[in-house]
Protein backbone atom coordinates (compact mmCIF):
# COMPACT_ATOMS: atom_id res chain seq x y z
CA UNK A 1 0.00 0.00 0.00
CA UNK A 2 1.43 3.32 -1.08
CA UNK A 3 1.72 5.94 1.63
CA UNK A 4 2.96 9.52 1.57
CA UNK A 5 3.36 11.04 5.03
CA UNK A 6 4.12 14.74 5.42
CA UNK A 7 5.63 16.41 8.46
CA UNK A 8 7.21 19.70 9.43
CA UNK A 9 4.28 22.08 9.22
CA UNK A 10 3.50 24.60 11.93
CA UNK A 11 3.09 28.24 12.88
CA UNK A 12 5.80 30.71 11.92
CA UNK A 13 6.11 34.47 11.72
CA UNK A 14 6.41 36.24 8.38
CA UNK A 15 9.99 36.13 7.16
CA UNK A 16 10.64 32.83 8.91
CA UNK A 17 11.42 29.38 7.55
CA UNK A 18 10.02 25.87 7.68
CA UNK A 19 11.15 22.58 6.18
CA UNK A 20 8.50 20.10 5.11
CA UNK A 21 9.29 16.41 4.69
CA UNK A 22 7.42 13.70 2.82
CA UNK A 23 8.23 10.05 3.53
CA UNK A 24 7.08 7.70 0.79
CA UNK A 25 6.59 3.97 1.23
CA UNK A 26 4.85 1.03 -0.38
CA UNK A 27 6.64 1.00 -3.72
CA UNK A 28 9.75 2.25 -5.49
CA UNK A 29 9.62 6.00 -5.97
CA UNK A 30 13.04 6.68 -7.39
CA UNK A 31 11.77 6.50 -10.98
CA UNK A 32 8.87 8.93 -10.58
CA UNK A 33 8.63 12.68 -10.25
CA UNK A 34 7.44 14.09 -6.93
CA UNK A 35 5.94 17.39 -5.97
CA UNK A 36 4.23 19.69 -3.49
CA UNK A 37 0.84 21.35 -3.78
CA UNK A 38 -1.04 23.60 -1.36
CA UNK A 39 -4.61 24.56 -0.64
CA UNK A 40 -5.66 27.68 1.23
CA UNK A 41 -9.14 28.03 2.76
CA UNK A 42 -11.83 28.46 0.10
CA UNK A 43 -9.28 28.19 -2.70
CA UNK A 44 -8.43 25.44 -5.14
CA UNK A 45 -5.40 23.25 -4.65
CA UNK A 46 -2.43 24.73 -6.49
CA UNK A 47 0.93 23.50 -7.66
CA UNK A 48 3.96 24.65 -5.65
CA UNK A 49 7.03 22.71 -6.80
CA UNK A 50 8.15 19.52 -8.52
CA UNK A 51 11.32 17.49 -8.90
CA UNK A 52 12.23 14.95 -11.55
CA UNK A 53 12.91 11.29 -10.86
CA UNK A 54 16.67 11.77 -11.24
CA UNK A 55 16.59 14.97 -9.10
CA UNK A 56 18.33 16.94 -11.85
CA UNK A 57 15.36 19.16 -12.64
CA UNK A 58 13.12 21.24 -10.45
CA UNK A 59 10.20 23.50 -11.26
CA UNK A 60 8.44 26.14 -9.15
CA UNK A 61 5.31 28.20 -9.18
CA UNK A 62 6.10 31.86 -9.77
CA UNK A 63 4.71 32.74 -6.33
CA UNK A 64 7.40 30.72 -4.52
CA UNK A 65 10.34 30.93 -6.93
CA UNK A 66 13.49 32.09 -5.16
CA UNK A 67 12.05 31.37 -1.71
CA UNK A 68 11.25 27.61 -1.76
CA UNK A 69 13.55 24.73 -2.62
CA UNK A 70 12.45 21.17 -3.36
CA UNK A 71 14.87 18.27 -2.99
CA UNK A 72 14.95 14.49 -2.63
CA UNK A 73 16.76 12.39 -0.07
CA UNK A 74 19.60 10.09 -1.11
CA UNK A 75 17.29 7.09 -1.13
CA UNK A 76 14.84 9.18 -3.19
CA UNK A 77 11.87 7.99 -1.15
CA UNK A 78 11.89 11.24 0.82
CA UNK A 79 11.05 14.66 -0.58
CA UNK A 80 11.69 17.96 1.14
CA UNK A 81 10.39 21.48 0.72
CA UNK A 82 12.56 24.16 2.28
CA UNK A 83 10.48 27.31 2.65
CA UNK A 84 12.25 30.60 3.40
CA UNK A 85 11.04 34.19 3.61
CA UNK A 86 7.55 32.96 4.34
CA UNK A 87 4.62 35.30 3.77
CA UNK A 88 1.09 35.24 5.22
CA UNK A 89 -0.20 34.32 1.77
CA UNK A 90 1.78 31.06 2.01
CA UNK A 91 -0.66 29.90 4.68
CA UNK A 92 -2.25 26.66 3.47
CA UNK A 93 -2.37 22.91 3.85
CA UNK A 94 0.61 21.51 1.98
CA UNK A 95 0.32 18.17 0.21
CA UNK A 96 3.01 15.85 -1.05
CA UNK A 97 2.29 14.17 -4.38
CA UNK A 98 3.69 11.36 -6.48
CA UNK A 99 3.46 11.83 -10.23
CA UNK A 100 2.85 9.08 -12.78
CA UNK A 101 5.88 9.99 -14.88
CA UNK A 102 9.56 10.76 -14.13
CA UNK A 103 9.48 14.22 -15.74
CA UNK A 104 9.60 17.40 -13.66
CA UNK A 105 6.76 18.71 -15.84
CA UNK A 106 4.36 15.86 -15.06
CA UNK A 107 1.20 16.92 -13.22
CA UNK A 108 -0.59 13.58 -13.29
CA UNK A 109 -0.82 12.67 -9.61
CA UNK A 110 -1.67 9.15 -8.59
CA UNK A 111 -0.97 9.43 -4.86
CA UNK A 112 -1.43 12.23 -2.31
CA UNK A 113 -0.31 12.67 1.25
CA UNK A 114 -2.73 13.66 4.00
CA UNK A 115 -1.41 17.21 4.18
CA UNK A 116 0.34 19.35 6.77
CA UNK A 117 -0.80 22.78 7.92
CA UNK A 118 1.49 25.78 7.45
CA UNK A 119 0.39 29.03 9.05
CA UNK A 120 2.35 32.25 8.59
CA UNK A 121 1.45 35.12 10.91
CA UNK A 122 1.98 38.75 9.98
Amino acid sequence: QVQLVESGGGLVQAGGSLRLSCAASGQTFWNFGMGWFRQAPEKEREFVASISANSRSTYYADSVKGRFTISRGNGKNTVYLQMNSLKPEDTAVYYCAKFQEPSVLSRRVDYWGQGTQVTVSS
Side-chain angles (χ1 to χ4, degrees):
Q1 183 177 358
V2 174
Q3 276 195 313
L4 301 177
V5 180
E6 302 98 333
S7 61
L11 173 64
V12 64
Q13 288 189 331
S17 298
L18 282 174
R19 189 192 196 204
L20 304 184
S21 299
C22 171
S25 62
Q27 71 173 68
T28 301
F29 289 87
W30 63 267
N31 50 346
F32 295 99
M34 301 286 289
W36 289 93
F37 291 73
R38 67 186 181 186
Q39 187 167 16
E42 300 182 358
K43 291 190 176 181
E44 292 189 355
R45 190 172 298 188
E46 64 176 2
F47 168 80
V48 174
S50 61
I51 187 166
S52 62
N54 61 13
S55 301
R56 293 177 184 170
S57 299
T58 57
Y59 192 87
Y60 299 93
D62 287 343
S63 58
V64 307
K65 202 172 294 182
R67 300 188 297 122
F68 290 11
T69 302
I70 188 171
S71 61
R72 298 180 80 134
N74 287 336
K76 299 191 177 179
N77 273 19
T78 305
V79 181
Y80 304 99
L81 186 69
Q82 177 67 43
M83 306 186 294
N84 299 329
S85 303
L86 282 161
K87 305 175 181 180
E89 51 263 44
D90 293 319
T91 295
V93 177
Y94 283 71
Y95 296 91
C96 177
K98 173 192 165 296
F99 297 117
Q100 295 183 19
E101 294 89 17
S103 170
V104 69
L105 298 179
S106 174
R107 295 293 176 266
R108 297 203 300 169
V109 176
D110 53 3
Y111 293 102
W112 294 96
Q114 83 287 352
T116 186
Q117 176 70 46
V118 171
T119 303
V120 184
S121 63
S122 57

